[in-house]
PDB file of all heavy atoms in Angstrom:
ATOM      1  N   PRO A1573     -36.422 -48.686 -15.050  1.00  0.00           N
ATOM      2  CA  PRO A1573     -36.295 -47.906 -16.277  1.00  0.00           C
ATOM      3  C   PRO A1573     -36.540 -46.419 -15.925  1.00  0.00           C
ATOM      4  O   PRO A1573     -37.468 -46.107 -15.151  1.00  0.00           O
ATOM      5  CB  PRO A1573     -37.416 -48.415 -17.160  1.00  0.00           C
ATOM      6  CG  PRO A1573     -38.119 -49.511 -16.407  1.00  0.00           C
ATOM      7  CD  PRO A1573     -37.528 -49.656 -15.050  1.00  0.00           C
ATOM      8  N   GLU A1574     -35.674 -45.563 -16.431  1.00  0.00           N
ATOM      9  CA  GLU A1574     -35.807 -44.152 -16.052  1.00  0.00           C
ATOM     10  C   GLU A1574     -36.282 -43.332 -17.280  1.00  0.00           C
ATOM     11  O   GLU A1574     -35.779 -43.458 -18.374  1.00  0.00           O
ATOM     12  CB  GLU A1574     -34.442 -43.606 -15.625  1.00  0.00           C
ATOM     13  CG  GLU A1574     -34.544 -42.234 -15.066  1.00  0.00           C
ATOM     14  CD  GLU A1574     -33.195 -41.690 -14.581  1.00  0.00           C
ATOM     15  OE1 GLU A1574     -32.743 -42.146 -13.518  1.00  0.00           O
ATOM     16  OE2 GLU A1574     -32.619 -40.859 -15.283  1.00  0.00           O
ATOM     17  N   LEU A1575     -37.297 -42.539 -17.044  1.00  0.00           N
ATOM     18  CA  LEU A1575     -37.892 -41.722 -18.069  1.00  0.00           C
ATOM     19  C   LEU A1575     -37.633 -40.238 -17.837  1.00  0.00           C
ATOM     20  O   LEU A1575     -37.556 -39.827 -16.704  1.00  0.00           O
ATOM     21  CB  LEU A1575     -39.395 -41.930 -18.144  1.00  0.00           C
ATOM     22  CG  LEU A1575     -39.886 -43.349 -18.475  1.00  0.00           C
ATOM     23  CD1 LEU A1575     -41.430 -43.342 -18.426  1.00  0.00           C
ATOM     24  CD2 LEU A1575     -39.433 -43.754 -19.881  1.00  0.00           C
ATOM     25  N   ALA A1576     -37.532 -39.477 -18.922  1.00  0.00           N
ATOM     26  CA  ALA A1576     -37.548 -38.003 -18.806  1.00  0.00           C
ATOM     27  C   ALA A1576     -38.976 -37.597 -18.580  1.00  0.00           C
ATOM     28  O   ALA A1576     -39.915 -38.320 -18.974  1.00  0.00           O
ATOM     29  CB  ALA A1576     -37.016 -37.382 -20.092  1.00  0.00           C
ATOM     30  N   PRO A1577     -39.207 -36.441 -17.933  1.00  0.00           N
ATOM     31  CA  PRO A1577     -40.581 -35.999 -17.627  1.00  0.00           C
ATOM     32  C   PRO A1577     -41.548 -36.057 -18.824  1.00  0.00           C
ATOM     33  O   PRO A1577     -42.664 -36.452 -18.740  1.00  0.00           O
ATOM     34  CB  PRO A1577     -40.391 -34.590 -17.110  1.00  0.00           C
ATOM     35  CG  PRO A1577     -39.043 -34.617 -16.521  1.00  0.00           C
ATOM     36  CD  PRO A1577     -38.198 -35.501 -17.385  1.00  0.00           C
ATOM     37  N   ARG A1578     -41.024 -35.658 -20.010  1.00  0.00           N
ATOM     38  CA  ARG A1578     -41.899 -35.572 -21.172  1.00  0.00           C
ATOM     39  C   ARG A1578     -42.389 -36.973 -21.581  1.00  0.00           C
ATOM     40  O   ARG A1578     -43.578 -37.154 -21.824  1.00  0.00           O
ATOM     41  CB  ARG A1578     -41.098 -34.955 -22.322  1.00  0.00           C
ATOM     42  CG  ARG A1578     -41.910 -34.432 -23.445  1.00  0.00           C
ATOM     43  CD  ARG A1578     -41.289 -33.224 -24.126  1.00  0.00           C
ATOM     44  NE  ARG A1578     -41.201 -32.107 -23.193  1.00  0.00           N
ATOM     45  CZ  ARG A1578     -40.601 -30.954 -23.475  1.00  0.00           C
ATOM     46  NH1 ARG A1578     -40.013 -30.785 -24.654  1.00  0.00           N
ATOM     47  NH2 ARG A1578     -40.548 -29.958 -22.607  1.00  0.00           N
ATOM     48  N   ASP A1579     -41.486 -37.924 -21.601  1.00  0.00           N
ATOM     49  CA  ASP A1579     -41.889 -39.316 -21.984  1.00  0.00           C
ATOM     50  C   ASP A1579     -42.728 -39.912 -20.877  1.00  0.00           C
ATOM     51  O   ASP A1579     -43.693 -40.676 -21.173  1.00  0.00           O
ATOM     52  CB  ASP A1579     -40.646 -40.184 -22.179  1.00  0.00           C
ATOM     53  CG  ASP A1579     -39.755 -39.595 -23.279  1.00  0.00           C
ATOM     54  OD1 ASP A1579     -40.307 -39.042 -24.254  1.00  0.00           O
ATOM     55  OD2 ASP A1579     -38.520 -39.665 -23.174  1.00  0.00           O
ATOM     56  N   ALA A1580     -42.430 -39.612 -19.639  1.00  0.00           N
ATOM     57  CA  ALA A1580     -43.207 -40.110 -18.531  1.00  0.00           C
ATOM     58  C   ALA A1580     -44.640 -39.602 -18.641  1.00  0.00           C
ATOM     59  O   ALA A1580     -45.615 -40.337 -18.454  1.00  0.00           O
ATOM     60  CB  ALA A1580     -42.608 -39.660 -17.204  1.00  0.00           C
ATOM     61  N   ALA A1581     -44.810 -38.338 -19.024  1.00  0.00           N
ATOM     62  CA  ALA A1581     -46.161 -37.747 -19.109  1.00  0.00           C
ATOM     63  C   ALA A1581     -46.943 -38.444 -20.213  1.00  0.00           C
ATOM     64  O   ALA A1581     -48.142 -38.735 -20.005  1.00  0.00           O
ATOM     65  CB  ALA A1581     -46.043 -36.245 -19.384  1.00  0.00           C
ATOM     66  N   VAL A1582     -46.325 -38.711 -21.306  1.00  0.00           N
ATOM     67  CA  VAL A1582     -47.021 -39.368 -22.420  1.00  0.00           C
ATOM     68  C   VAL A1582     -47.479 -40.758 -21.982  1.00  0.00           C
ATOM     69  O   VAL A1582     -48.615 -41.196 -22.160  1.00  0.00           O
ATOM     70  CB  VAL A1582     -46.169 -39.420 -23.697  1.00  0.00           C
ATOM     71  CG1 VAL A1582     -46.769 -40.318 -24.761  1.00  0.00           C
ATOM     72  CG2 VAL A1582     -45.913 -38.043 -24.229  1.00  0.00           C
ATOM     73  N   ALA A1583     -46.531 -41.489 -21.332  1.00  0.00           N
ATOM     74  CA  ALA A1583     -46.857 -42.844 -20.845  1.00  0.00           C
ATOM     75  C   ALA A1583     -47.988 -42.796 -19.779  1.00  0.00           C
ATOM     76  O   ALA A1583     -48.858 -43.654 -19.740  1.00  0.00           O
ATOM     77  CB  ALA A1583     -45.617 -43.514 -20.276  1.00  0.00           C
ATOM     78  N   LEU A1584     -47.946 -41.758 -18.977  1.00  0.00           N
ATOM     79  CA  LEU A1584     -48.977 -41.624 -17.935  1.00  0.00           C
ATOM     80  C   LEU A1584     -50.332 -41.395 -18.571  1.00  0.00           C
ATOM     81  O   LEU A1584     -51.356 -41.972 -18.144  1.00  0.00           O
ATOM     82  CB  LEU A1584     -48.568 -40.419 -17.070  1.00  0.00           C
ATOM     83  CG  LEU A1584     -49.061 -40.440 -15.635  1.00  0.00           C
ATOM     84  CD1 LEU A1584     -48.376 -41.544 -14.865  1.00  0.00           C
ATOM     85  CD2 LEU A1584     -48.802 -39.098 -14.978  1.00  0.00           C
ATOM     86  N   ILE A1585     -50.403 -40.556 -19.567  1.00  0.00           N
ATOM     87  CA  ILE A1585     -51.666 -40.297 -20.246  1.00  0.00           C
ATOM     88  C   ILE A1585     -52.186 -41.546 -20.944  1.00  0.00           C
ATOM     89  O   ILE A1585     -53.337 -41.901 -20.930  1.00  0.00           O
ATOM     90  CB  ILE A1585     -51.578 -39.099 -21.225  1.00  0.00           C
ATOM     91  CG1 ILE A1585     -51.200 -37.826 -20.503  1.00  0.00           C
ATOM     92  CG2 ILE A1585     -52.866 -38.916 -22.007  1.00  0.00           C
ATOM     93  CD1 ILE A1585     -52.169 -37.405 -19.417  1.00  0.00           C
ATOM     94  N   ASP A1586     -51.219 -42.280 -21.567  1.00  0.00           N
ATOM     95  CA  ASP A1586     -51.586 -43.577 -22.204  1.00  0.00           C
ATOM     96  C   ASP A1586     -52.232 -44.487 -21.140  1.00  0.00           C
ATOM     97  O   ASP A1586     -53.262 -45.108 -21.369  1.00  0.00           O
ATOM     98  CB  ASP A1586     -50.347 -44.332 -22.701  1.00  0.00           C
ATOM     99  CG  ASP A1586     -49.857 -43.773 -24.030  1.00  0.00           C
ATOM    100  OD1 ASP A1586     -50.620 -43.024 -24.641  1.00  0.00           O
ATOM    101  OD2 ASP A1586     -48.730 -44.074 -24.420  1.00  0.00           O
ATOM    102  N   GLY A1587     -51.627 -44.505 -19.959  1.00  0.00           N
ATOM    103  CA  GLY A1587     -52.108 -45.354 -18.872  1.00  0.00           C
ATOM    104  C   GLY A1587     -53.482 -44.912 -18.387  1.00  0.00           C
ATOM    105  O   GLY A1587     -54.353 -45.684 -18.065  1.00  0.00           O
ATOM    106  N   ALA A1588     -53.670 -43.576 -18.385  1.00  0.00           N
ATOM    107  CA  ALA A1588     -54.943 -43.030 -17.846  1.00  0.00           C
ATOM    108  C   ALA A1588     -56.115 -43.366 -18.777  1.00  0.00           C
ATOM    109  O   ALA A1588     -57.261 -43.295 -18.372  1.00  0.00           O
ATOM    110  CB  ALA A1588     -54.802 -41.504 -17.667  1.00  0.00           C
ATOM    111  N   VAL A1589     -55.809 -43.713 -20.054  1.00  0.00           N
ATOM    112  CA  VAL A1589     -56.916 -44.145 -20.926  1.00  0.00           C
ATOM    113  C   VAL A1589     -57.525 -45.453 -20.374  1.00  0.00           C
ATOM    114  O   VAL A1589     -58.737 -45.671 -20.503  1.00  0.00           O
ATOM    115  CB  VAL A1589     -56.353 -44.360 -22.382  1.00  0.00           C
ATOM    116  CG1 VAL A1589     -57.422 -44.978 -23.272  1.00  0.00           C
ATOM    117  CG2 VAL A1589     -55.844 -43.036 -22.944  1.00  0.00           C
ATOM    118  N   GLN A1590     -56.690 -46.264 -19.777  1.00  0.00           N
ATOM    119  CA  GLN A1590     -57.139 -47.581 -19.264  1.00  0.00           C
ATOM    120  C   GLN A1590     -57.622 -47.520 -17.827  1.00  0.00           C
ATOM    121  O   GLN A1590     -58.545 -48.249 -17.440  1.00  0.00           O
ATOM    122  CB  GLN A1590     -55.999 -48.598 -19.338  1.00  0.00           C
ATOM    123  CG  GLN A1590     -55.246 -48.651 -20.646  1.00  0.00           C
ATOM    124  CD  GLN A1590     -56.117 -49.176 -21.787  1.00  0.00           C
ATOM    125  OE1 GLN A1590     -57.067 -49.905 -21.504  1.00  0.00           O
ATOM    126  NE2 GLN A1590     -55.826 -48.788 -22.986  1.00  0.00           N
ATOM    127  N   GLY A1591     -56.940 -46.764 -16.981  1.00  0.00           N
ATOM    128  CA  GLY A1591     -57.295 -46.824 -15.546  1.00  0.00           C
ATOM    129  C   GLY A1591     -56.481 -45.814 -14.750  1.00  0.00           C
ATOM    130  O   GLY A1591     -55.951 -44.853 -15.314  1.00  0.00           O
ATOM    131  N   ASP A1592     -56.390 -46.009 -13.452  1.00  0.00           N
ATOM    132  CA  ASP A1592     -55.711 -45.077 -12.562  1.00  0.00           C
ATOM    133  C   ASP A1592     -54.188 -45.180 -12.689  1.00  0.00           C
ATOM    134  O   ASP A1592     -53.657 -46.268 -12.875  1.00  0.00           O
ATOM    135  CB  ASP A1592     -56.091 -45.338 -11.110  1.00  0.00           C
ATOM    136  CG  ASP A1592     -57.417 -44.650 -10.777  1.00  0.00           C
ATOM    137  OD1 ASP A1592     -58.172 -44.313 -11.715  1.00  0.00           O
ATOM    138  OD2 ASP A1592     -57.675 -44.423  -9.592  1.00  0.00           O
ATOM    139  N   VAL A1593     -53.524 -44.030 -12.568  1.00  0.00           N
ATOM    140  CA  VAL A1593     -52.073 -43.987 -12.643  1.00  0.00           C
ATOM    141  C   VAL A1593     -51.562 -43.050 -11.570  1.00  0.00           C
ATOM    142  O   VAL A1593     -52.356 -42.254 -11.011  1.00  0.00           O
ATOM    143  CB  VAL A1593     -51.611 -43.450 -14.024  1.00  0.00           C
ATOM    144  CG1 VAL A1593     -52.003 -44.396 -15.143  1.00  0.00           C
ATOM    145  CG2 VAL A1593     -52.194 -42.073 -14.298  1.00  0.00           C
ATOM    146  N   ALA A1594     -50.287 -43.146 -11.222  1.00  0.00           N
ATOM    147  CA  ALA A1594     -49.769 -42.301 -10.121  1.00  0.00           C
ATOM    148  C   ALA A1594     -48.400 -41.793 -10.425  1.00  0.00           C
ATOM    149  O   ALA A1594     -47.529 -42.461 -10.988  1.00  0.00           O
ATOM    150  CB  ALA A1594     -49.772 -43.113  -8.834  1.00  0.00           C
ATOM    151  N   LEU A1595     -48.144 -40.534  -9.970  1.00  0.00           N
ATOM    152  CA  LEU A1595     -46.820 -39.969  -9.904  1.00  0.00           C
ATOM    153  C   LEU A1595     -46.488 -39.825  -8.444  1.00  0.00           C
ATOM    154  O   LEU A1595     -47.235 -39.177  -7.685  1.00  0.00           O
ATOM    155  CB  LEU A1595     -46.844 -38.567 -10.537  1.00  0.00           C
ATOM    156  CG  LEU A1595     -46.651 -38.446 -12.057  1.00  0.00           C
ATOM    157  CD1 LEU A1595     -46.911 -37.015 -12.470  1.00  0.00           C
ATOM    158  CD2 LEU A1595     -45.231 -38.867 -12.468  1.00  0.00           C
ATOM    159  N   VAL A1596     -45.334 -40.396  -8.023  1.00  0.00           N
ATOM    160  CA  VAL A1596     -45.019 -40.409  -6.599  1.00  0.00           C
ATOM    161  C   VAL A1596     -43.820 -39.514  -6.306  1.00  0.00           C
ATOM    162  O   VAL A1596     -42.819 -39.566  -7.011  1.00  0.00           O
ATOM    163  CB  VAL A1596     -44.699 -41.893  -6.170  1.00  0.00           C
ATOM    164  CG1 VAL A1596     -44.413 -41.967  -4.704  1.00  0.00           C
ATOM    165  CG2 VAL A1596     -45.822 -42.834  -6.568  1.00  0.00           C
ATOM    166  N   PHE A1597     -43.936 -38.715  -5.268  1.00  0.00           N
ATOM    167  CA  PHE A1597     -42.880 -37.793  -4.892  1.00  0.00           C
ATOM    168  C   PHE A1597     -42.419 -38.061  -3.467  1.00  0.00           C
ATOM    169  O   PHE A1597     -43.246 -38.354  -2.624  1.00  0.00           O
ATOM    170  CB  PHE A1597     -43.406 -36.327  -4.990  1.00  0.00           C
ATOM    171  CG  PHE A1597     -43.753 -35.914  -6.388  1.00  0.00           C
ATOM    172  CD1 PHE A1597     -45.003 -36.238  -6.901  1.00  0.00           C
ATOM    173  CD2 PHE A1597     -42.837 -35.269  -7.190  1.00  0.00           C
ATOM    174  CE1 PHE A1597     -45.351 -35.891  -8.235  1.00  0.00           C
ATOM    175  CE2 PHE A1597     -43.147 -34.920  -8.482  1.00  0.00           C
ATOM    176  CZ  PHE A1597     -44.432 -35.239  -9.012  1.00  0.00           C
ATOM    177  N   GLY A1598     -41.123 -37.892  -3.224  1.00  0.00           N
ATOM    178  CA  GLY A1598     -40.549 -38.255  -1.906  1.00  0.00           C
ATOM    179  C   GLY A1598     -40.393 -37.096  -0.943  1.00  0.00           C
ATOM    180  O   GLY A1598     -40.883 -35.977  -1.162  1.00  0.00           O
ATOM    181  N   ARG A1599     -39.732 -37.407   0.159  1.00  0.00           N
ATOM    182  CA  ARG A1599     -39.518 -36.428   1.235  1.00  0.00           C
ATOM    183  C   ARG A1599     -38.493 -35.335   0.835  1.00  0.00           C
ATOM    184  O   ARG A1599     -37.578 -35.661   0.082  1.00  0.00           O
ATOM    185  CB  ARG A1599     -38.994 -37.139   2.472  1.00  0.00           C
ATOM    186  CG  ARG A1599     -39.923 -38.213   2.965  1.00  0.00           C
ATOM    187  CD  ARG A1599     -39.182 -39.291   3.817  1.00  0.00           C
ATOM    188  NE  ARG A1599     -40.100 -40.390   4.109  1.00  0.00           N
ATOM    189  CZ  ARG A1599     -40.331 -41.391   3.267  1.00  0.00           C
ATOM    190  NH1 ARG A1599     -39.761 -41.450   2.061  1.00  0.00           N
ATOM    191  NH2 ARG A1599     -41.197 -42.308   3.568  1.00  0.00           N
ATOM    192  N   GLU A1600     -38.686 -34.177   1.391  1.00  0.00           N
ATOM    193  CA  GLU A1600     -37.795 -33.056   1.049  1.00  0.00           C
ATOM    194  C   GLU A1600     -36.320 -33.423   1.346  1.00  0.00           C
ATOM    195  O   GLU A1600     -35.444 -33.155   0.559  1.00  0.00           O
ATOM    196  CB  GLU A1600     -38.168 -31.817   1.853  1.00  0.00           C
ATOM    197  CG  GLU A1600     -39.486 -31.187   1.439  1.00  0.00           C
ATOM    198  CD  GLU A1600     -40.653 -31.775   2.194  1.00  0.00           C
ATOM    199  OE1 GLU A1600     -40.593 -32.917   2.652  1.00  0.00           O
ATOM    200  OE2 GLU A1600     -41.678 -31.036   2.385  1.00  0.00           O
TER     201      GLU A1600
END
Side-chain angles (χ1 to χ4, degrees):
E1574 188 179 285
L1575 297 178
R1578 197 148 297 175
D1579 301 325
V1582 170
L1584 207 68
I1585 298 300
D1586 282 346
V1589 173
Q1590 311 293 335
D1592 277 19
V1593 295
L1595 274 172
V1596 183
F1597 296 85
R1599 300 158 188 82
E1600 291 88 333

